[in-house]
């Protein structure tokens, strides 16, 4: 039994005494405790050392008092397990040595099944077990994966991209090849998430960060069907699924019908409008602009009140930022956000 299950209740659109809150990238460089670990080891080593991943995961629970923990890892870990080589650089972020550009490369990728997933990424289940011990039932633990389209973006572009020219070139010149790649990634993602669920995560989030860069028609052809297959393929009996995308406004109705329990929103959409569009089908997560946290508590409070007010009464809201917290955010402002969401949402209910 969890001591604080407000996050899971909100995922299922059940009433809670306050609006639960967590922060995407909540264990990160804005915390001095995180930086102290990173001084000793590089990012990938941190992801692959269960004790360090667990330590990082628990930091925001102890320091900020958020209502959910999220596994410390990266969406590109299972891509490495499919046979691609990835490096994390200071300036350019993740970089693949040989981006996917040909049929032979797609053919060469392997799909780790249940046993291979455990074998190639033993540190994932080990970290989850350590985190669950450290949490001692205080709050639920969220597992995650990149969604197939977003993973394909990194695999084809080779690094973070602004215009997505390589993946879109493939999309328009050789769509069967892109479908073949997405199909393989989908298989790998299903096994990867099921491994996390077996190890004990309470919910999972699918990051389809770059799906908002697609036209609605292309979203329906190249992103949505694979998200739906992942959601159908995972053992979600007791495990709500959150589907996050950046730039949701043009694709929100499709996300609402995807089978996900929660839709994660970026900050460019009014959460009240989003609720009217899909809120009878799903819970909503979001959606403060991460840059608001550059301002102090008074300014943060005003923005929190506005979002709570726009969402309105009734259950099904999980407070979060509209994208990951930025590395130069003052940690006391992140802490203020969590306290303010709790205060303002409890006073709204009483
Ligand atoms: O939310 C969490 O706290 C869980 C951990 C987590 C990280 N990355 C840690 C991380 C999660 C869920 C991710 C997801 C992720 N990774 C996404 C999807 C979400 C999003 O932000 O859109 C993407 C696109 C990636 C790929 C990635 N990893 C990039 C582009 C970068 C470099 C950019 C950056 O912020 O540095 C990373 C590195 C990364 N992932 C860091 C962390 C804490 C920073 C690593 C460091 O210490 O240098």
């Amino acid at each position: 039994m969890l001591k604080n299950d407000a996050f899971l209740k909100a995922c299922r659109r059940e009433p809670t005494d306050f609006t639960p809150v967590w922060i995407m990238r909540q264990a990160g460089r804005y915390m001095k405790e995180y930086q102290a670990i990173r001084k000793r080891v590089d990012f990938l080593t941190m992801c692959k050392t269960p004790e360090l991943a667990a330590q990082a995961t628990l930091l925001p629970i102890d320091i900020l008092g958020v209502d959910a923990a999220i596994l410390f890892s990266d969406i590109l870990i299972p891509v490495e397990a499919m046979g691609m080589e990835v490096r994390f650089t200071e300036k350019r972020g993740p970089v693949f040595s040989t981006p996917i550009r040909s049929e032979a490369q797609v053919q060469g990728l392997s799909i780790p099944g249940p046993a291979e997933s455990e074998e190639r990424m033993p540190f994932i289940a080990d970290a989850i077990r350590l985190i669950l011990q450290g949490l001692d039932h205080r709050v639920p633990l969220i597992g995650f994966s990149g969604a197939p389209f977003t993973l394909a973006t990194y695999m084809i572009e080779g690094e973070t991209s602004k215009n997505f020219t390589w993946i879109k070139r493939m999309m328009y010149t050789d769509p069967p090849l892109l479908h073949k790649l997405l199909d393989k990634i989908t298989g790998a993602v299903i096994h990867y998430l099921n491994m996390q669920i077996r190890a004990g995560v309470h919910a999972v989030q699918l990051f389809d960060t770059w799906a908002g860069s697609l036209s609605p028609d292309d979203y329906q052809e190249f992103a949505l069907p694979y998200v739906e297959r992942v959601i159908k393929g995972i053992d979600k009996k007791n495990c709500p699924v959150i589907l996050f995308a950046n730039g949701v406004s043009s694709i929100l109705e499709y996300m609402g019908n995807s089978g996900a329990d929660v839709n994660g929103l970026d900050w460019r959409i009014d959460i009240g409008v989003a609720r009217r569009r899909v809120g009878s089908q799903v819970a909503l997560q979001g959606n403060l602009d991460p840059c608001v946290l550059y301002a102090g508590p008074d300014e943060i409070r005003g923005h929190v009140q506005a979002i709570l007010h726009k969402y309105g009464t009734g259950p099904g809201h999980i407070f979060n930022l509209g994208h990951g917290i930025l590395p130069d955010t003052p940690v006391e402002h992140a802490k203020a956000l969590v306290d303010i969401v709790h205060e303002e949402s409890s006073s709204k209910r009483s």
Side-chain angles (χ1 to χ4, degrees), residues 84 92 95-109 152-161 164-171 173-174 177-178 181:
M84 288 187 75
R92 284 157 70 206
V95 179
F96 286 99
S97 52
T98 322
I100 303 261
R101 304 280 161 84
S102 71
E103 171 107 36
Q105 284 173 293
V106 173
Q107 218 94 45
L109 289 171
T153 303
Y154 280 97
M155 292 162 80
I156 295 171
E157 298 294 329
E159 60 185 304
T160 302
S161 163
F164 308 103
T165 47
W166 283 105
I167 188 168
K168 289 196 176 181
R169 190 185 307 253
M170 191 186 288
M171 187 183 292
T173 61
D174 194 355
L177 183 58
L178 182 55
L181 174 62

Side-chain angles (χ1 to χ4, degrees), residues 91-140:
K91 282 218 175 86
R92 284 157 70 206
V95 179
F96 286 99
S97 52
T98 322
I100 303 261
R101 304 280 161 84
S102 71
E103 171 107 36
Q105 284 173 293
V106 173
Q107 218 94 45
L109 289 171
S110 85
I111 306 175
E116 290 103 341
S117 295
E118 307 256 1
E119 245 166 63
R120 293 182 204 172
M121 299 171 279
F123 47 86
I124 293 285
D126 288 345
I128 291 170
R129 282 187 278 271
L130 283 179
I131 295 162
L132 290 173
Q133 274 173 28
L135 284 174
D136 191 23
H137 306 283
R138 280 178 290 169
V139 293

Side-chain angles (χ1 to χ4, degrees), residues 139-318:
V139 293
L141 174 62
I142 306 169
F144 69 88
S145 171
F149 177 77
T150 292
L151 292 180
T153 303
Y154 280 97
M155 292 162 80
I156 295 171
E157 298 294 329
E159 60 185 304
T160 302
S161 163
K162 273 210 181 84
N163 296 318
F164 308 103
T165 47
W166 283 105
I167 188 168
K168 289 196 176 181
R169 190 185 307 253
M170 191 186 288
M171 187 183 292
Y172 297 124
T173 61
D174 194 355
L177 183 58
L178 182 55
H179 278 300
K180 206 176 209 174
L181 174 62
L182 289 164
D183 181 67
K184 281 195 138 177
I185 298 172
T186 301
V189 166
I190 291 171
H191 296 307
Y192 181 60
L193 285 173
N194 277 334
M195 172 174 77
Q196 297 181 32
I197 294 169
R198 280 196 304 278
V201 300
H202 300 91
V204 293
Q205 175 153 319
L206 276 172
F207 284 92
D208 215 351
T209 307
W210 305 128
S213 70
L214 291 171
S215 73
D217 284 350
D218 290 336
Y219 180 75
Q220 285 178 82
E221 180 172 350
F222 296 99
L224 180 63
Y226 298 99
V227 162
E228 288 173 339
R229 261 178 57 195
V230 170
I231 295 173
K232 281 209 185 79
I234 60 178
D235 180 15
K236 67 189 282 292
K237 259 192 315 290
N238 294 308
C239 182
V241 179
I242 307 165
L243 175 60
F244 168 81
N246 199 4
V248 293
S249 190
S250 54
I251 54 175
L252 189 58
E253 280 75 12
Y254 304 118
M255 288 172 63
N257 279 317
S258 62
D261 302 276
V262 184
N263 285 178
L265 311 174
D266 66 281
W267 65 90
R268 298 165 192 86
I269 188 168
D270 178 318
I271 195 169
V273 173
R275 191 177 185 192
R276 287 193 286 283
R277 284 170 61 184
V278 296
S280 60
Q281 294 146 274
V282 288
L284 295 175
Q285 176 173 281
N287 67 342
L288 187 73
D289 185 332
C291 293
V292 170
L293 296 186
Y294 290 138
D298 292 346
E299 186 71 20
I300 294 171
R301 187 177 298 274
H303 287 269
V304 168
Q305 285 169 338
I307 288 174
L308 293 174
H309 177 74
K310 281 177 181 166
Y311 185 82
T313 54
H317 182 205
I318 297 152

